[in-house]
Amino acid sequence: MVRRFVFALLLSALPCAALPAWLVPDCRDRFVFSVPDDARSYVLLSVESAALEQRPSAFRLFDSRGGPLPCRVAHTNASVVTLLAHVWAMGREREAVLYAGPDSAADAPAEPGADPEPVAVGFYEIEAKGLPDSWPKMRHMLARAGALRQRTLHASFRKELPRRGKDRWTTKRYIVTAQTHVLCPQPGPYVFALDCHNAGFLLLDGAPVAEWPGEHEGGSWRPGVEFRLEAGVHRLELVNVHDGSVFEARVGWRLPGEKEVAPIPPDRLLGAVRLDAARHERIDRSLQPAFTVTKQAGYAFRGQAPFFLPVSFADASRNWLDSPPTRREWAFGDGGTATGASVSHVFAGRARHRVTLTVRDALGFEASCSREVDLRHDYAQEYAASFRPVLLPAVCWPADRVEPALRVQTDRPSAFSLRVEWEAAFRDGRRQSEWRETACADEPVWAPLVAAQAGALSVLDWRVRHHGLVLGSGRIRFLHSPLPAVSLRAEGDRLYDGSDQVVLVPGRRPPAPAAPAAARRAARVACLDDALGAGAGAGTEQTALFSRVVAQMAGLDAGGACRYVSLRQTGADGGAYRPLAVLARIAAALQDDIDVAVLSLGLHDILSLGEPALFERRAAAMTELAAARGVRIVWVTPPPYPEAPVPVREFAAAVKRVAVARGVPVADLYTTFMGMQKQTGYPFFDASGVALSERGHRLAGQTITRALLAPNGEGR
């Protein structure tokens, strides 16, 4: 009973304790607005209908000293009430108080007329010479343009630009932005149009609705696409690249039911400055929750759709009973929450987010308020970002332990956090997943992924998130023996099958091979070579000499075919690691209509001081890829190059180990050349020491033919 009496006493004293004083007792709600200094005379005030307990029939506006200010309702719908206010009489106290309630204001000031300067025009100086041909490029230029200069109010889309010198107009290039709010009188299909000099883009509520990109003269309407629009007040903005002395443009529309585009009437342009209520106060509570919103610089990553905007929030609540708050809880409308008097949150995506603050004071009173944070009109600085798996060989033995990492690099100078996630699927059905927050700036960082034997892994998926949105992702598939028939593409030090990165895991000791079939006299043979044709241009007679010897000796001219395919580096390889580019080209060649592939490889690995162990892994993978296509393989060991910087014998031994383990014929040029040089002393190489002479080509062709025709053995 005592508590109820005390509570009733407090409620009766609330209007007297209000700051500023409550001037209209019949109104249960009032809204406090902070009017910016650059608002000369007219502003638009927005009040959410959901904030009102009952729909008011009248609004009264005062300054903080109690002086009345003219205002009128410009538009109302189920969600928001928009008013046009004339605030020219406000003094230094830039706070306006709007009362909403019954129609009891006979002495209210006269309603204001239309805003005579409803368009705010500003400009940026830019150094770029080109003209954007799309809105994303225009937005990128705008984000890099620096600070907005000389934002002034005008009656139309026109502004004189700065002079250079005393009498001459400047020749600098500008990005001009002209912004206002337009009242769309009815719902239905609208078409907006613009007329401007050079690249121009028209945005409605942050979305492009008409554009005229590139270089051009004005003088005609450029309409956009038709779209449905609700009646109400919408933000309209024109962005134009301009290099003349006077910016001048036209903006038009085609209303629902009309057939032609017409200029937007001046009375439909309501004003440039639109304010949301800083605080909603009610007469029946002492705790009046409110908060301020401060947007920071937005950012995005090039080639990625998400847009990010850090926003700071500060509690600006007032308590008429002078009871300090004990708890503040924030909900940001996207699932994020926080506590504290001042908090920050990064929003993702160009959208509207409803932020709610709940405040509790020492007396136990609790109140909440919500505001909409509109990010549709903000611009972003774009940064480069790359995410790439590293420390993962493209070809492994099953017992090789792999410990890949994700290399993350951006050029954003300030530190920020990325979440790196990965999930590994093992061949025995197990799954393992982890995530970690990684601090990034303009230096690359490596985020560890799974650590396991290559033979145990099946799939490795990775993702990079920033504030819940995926910036990059990828899948790595481990292909095991017997390798399937796949189409490979080499990029850098990685192999891809379609969009998936792949790691080839051939068997080091595969199952015993089937007994070799008898050689066919007429077959389609391809000599895939990067070891024997060095020193001659592609397509020359010397390059293909050994392959012609094979065709002649194997009797392929009379119904078969033998063609030569050079695997030497070409421009088509791009920046791919040469041995992987060769592997990918062999996989592509195996898809052709061939029966037998003669593989003579290893010269590049020898000259670049490659490791025989890695060469052996790739050789095993090539052999299994051929088997998957039903193509018979004949391996050729590299000959003993006189100028080789490393022992060729180790590479020849690697080829023989791969071939013997799989029952594949070998043309052992290493042994044959060593023996013939000792017996005859003939020069089998030219002066370079790494290219075969004509005698060497003929000897190589003879040795390969014997291996090709041998049903079960090596060619010597």
Side-chain angles (χ1 to χ4, degrees), residues 563-643:
R563 60 189 179 91
Y564 175 81
V565 179
S566 174
L567 299 176
R568 282 174 291 165
Q569 192 168 14
T570 66
D573 294 338
Y577 176 49
R578 170 73 181 279
L580 295 186
V582 168
L583 196 157
R585 272 190 278 157
I586 289 176
L590 293 173
Q591 299 180 45
D592 296 340
D593 191 17
I594 61 175
D595 300 310
V596 181
V598 177
L599 299 182
S600 51
L601 310 174
L603 179 58
H604 176 269
D605 295 84
I606 293 169
L607 297 180
S608 61
L609 306 179
E611 297 184 27
L614 300 181
F615 174 76
E616 183 174 353
R617 287 166 170 80
R618 294 193 299 273
M622 296 175 202
T623 307
E624 293 197 13
L625 290 174
R629 297 281 184 185
V631 177
R632 190 161 63 95
I633 289 290
V634 174
W635 267 105
V636 180
T637 64
Y641 302 105
E643 299 299 324

Side-chain angles (χ1 to χ4, degrees), residues 362-688:
L363 296 176
F365 290 107
E366 185 175 284
S368 299
C369 66
S370 297
R371 285 182 63 179
E372 189 177 77
V373 179
D374 194 348
L375 308 183
R376 296 174 298 170
H377 318 295
D378 294 272
Y379 301 112
Q381 173 69 57
E382 287 191 341
Y383 299 97
S386 64
F387 316 106
R388 180 167 61 89
V390 294
L391 307 180
L392 181 62
V395 185
C396 304
W397 293 131
D400 290 345
R401 184 171 179 80
V402 293
E403 298 181 1
L406 191 68
R407 185 182 187 272
V408 179
Q409 185 171 17
T410 74
D411 60 358
R412 187 167 185 244
S414 55
F416 66 104
S417 179
L418 293 176
R419 177 182 170 123
V420 178
E421 306 171 347
W422 61 265
E423 181 178 14
F426 291 83
R427 299 179 72 190
D428 61 4
R430 292 181 297 119
R431 304 188 78 88
Q432 180 183 354
S433 61
E434 288 185 11
W435 65 268
R436 67 174 60 202
E437 294 290 336
T438 303
C440 302
D442 55 354
E443 295 292 333
V445 297
W446 281 263
L449 302 177
V450 69
Q453 287 187 338
L457 291 167
S458 178
V459 175
L460 174 61
D461 291 307
W462 59 266
R463 289 171 298 277
V464 179
R465 297 183 187 269
H466 185 50
H467 294 285
L469 294 186
V470 176
L471 296 183
S473 63
R475 165 167 285 194
I476 304 172
R477 291 187 288 123
F478 292 78
L479 306 182
H480 298 272
S481 180
L483 296 180
V486 291
S487 299
L488 297 178
R489 183 181 77 259
E491 291 184 10
D493 59 352
R494 302 173 303 282
L495 289 173
Y496 289 89
D497 176 24
S499 60
D500 293 346
Q501 183 179 346
V502 295
V503 176
L504 306 181
V505 190
R508 190 162 193 175
R509 294 178 178 83
R520 289 169 289 183
R521 298 296 299 174
R524 292 156 297 187
V525 178
C527 297
L528 310 178
D529 168 61
D530 83 337
L532 305 182
T540 63
E541 181 180 352
Q542 185 182 10
T543 301
L545 178 56
F546 82 89
S547 63
R548 292 202 308 276
V549 172
V550 172
Q552 183 179 5
M553 294 186 63
L556 299 177
D557 294 335
C562 181
R563 60 189 179 91
Y564 175 81
V565 179
S566 174
L567 299 176
R568 282 174 291 165
Q569 192 168 14
T570 66
D573 294 338
Y577 176 49
R578 170 73 181 279
L580 295 186
V582 168
L583 196 157
R585 272 190 278 157
I586 289 176
L590 293 173
Q591 299 180 45
D592 296 340
D593 191 17
I594 61 175
D595 300 310
V596 181
V598 177
L599 299 182
S600 51
L601 310 174
L603 179 58
H604 176 269
D605 295 84
I606 293 169
L607 297 180
S608 61
L609 306 179
E611 297 184 27
L614 300 181
F615 174 76
E616 183 174 353
R617 287 166 170 80
R618 294 193 299 273
M622 296 175 202
T623 307
E624 293 197 13
L625 290 174
R629 297 281 184 185
V631 177
R632 190 161 63 95
I633 289 290
V634 174
W635 267 105
V636 180
T637 64
Y641 302 105
E643 299 299 324
V646 295
V648 179
R649 180 174 54 187
E650 297 182 21
F651 289 87
V655 168
K656 295 182 70 173
R657 283 194 296 270
V658 169
V660 170
R662 291 160 176 79
V664 172
V666 178
D668 190 357
L669 298 191
Y670 182 84
T671 303
T672 301
F673 274 53
M674 289 289 289
M676 292 298 293
Q677 282 177 338
K678 292 180 180 180
Q679 292 179 19
T680 66
Y682 292 148
F684 295 110
F685 298 90
D686 65 10
S688 69

Side-chain angles (χ1 to χ4, degrees), residues 129-143:
K129 302 300 182 184
L131 292 170
D133 57 7
S134 66
W135 170 240
K137 292 182 180 179
M138 179 76 255
R139 188 167 59 191
H140 177 70
M141 289 178 60
L142 193 59

Side-chain angles (χ1 to χ4, degrees), residues 6-153:
V6 173
F7 186 69
L9 185 63
L10 288 174
L11 288 178
S12 64
L14 288 182
C16 300
L19 292 174
W22 201 279
L23 299 179
V24 186
D26 292 341
C27 295
R28 296 175 56 84
D29 297 276
R30 73 180 186 182
F31 300 86
V32 181
F33 295 85
S34 296
V35 181
D37 293 337
D38 61 352
R40 287 190 200 165
S41 54
Y42 288 83
V43 295
L44 294 171
L45 307 178
S46 295
V47 175
E48 295 185 3
S49 302
L52 302 168
E53 289 189 354
Q54 56 186 6
R55 197 168 190 84
S57 56
F59 292 90
R60 294 281 306 277
L61 184 66
F62 299 86
D63 62 21
S64 57
R65 296 170 298 176
L69 298 173
C71 75
R72 64 178 172 88
V73 175
H75 184 267
T76 181
N77 56 30
S79 59
V80 66
V81 179
T82 304
L83 302 98
L84 179 65
H86 196 193
V87 295
W88 63 271
M90 294 186 67
R92 294 183 178 180
E93 298 293 332
R94 307 294 289 178
E95 198 170 68
V97 184
L98 179 71
Y99 291 85
D103 189 3
S104 60
D107 57 344
E111 292 186 350
D115 187 347
E117 297 178 322
V119 183
V121 183
F123 67 91
Y124 305 81
E125 290 187 10
I126 59 174
E127 300 295 333
K129 302 300 182 184
L131 292 170
D133 57 7
S134 66
W135 170 240
K137 292 182 180 179
M138 179 76 255
R139 188 167 59 191
H140 177 70
M141 289 178 60
L142 193 59
R144 300 176 65 89
L148 180 68
R149 295 184 54 189
Q150 295 188 8
R151 187 175 187 268
T152 52
L153 297 175

Side-chain angles (χ1 to χ4, degrees), residues 282-335:
R282 289 172 47 185
I283 198 171
D284 59 353
R285 67 184 183 190
S286 61
L287 184 57
Q288 310 295 345
F291 58 88
T292 61
V293 179
T294 304
K295 294 181 181 179
Q296 301 173 26
Y299 61 94
F301 297 100
R302 202 164 301 131
Q304 307 290 334
F307 158 83
F308 302 95
L309 188 77
V311 182
S312 298
F313 300 91
D315 179 20
S317 304
R318 291 187 180 179
N319 197 325
W320 297 344
L321 299 181
D322 196 23
S323 176
T326 59
R327 185 168 181 81
R328 304 172 179 89
E329 298 178 347
W330 302 83
F332 300 114
D334 59 358

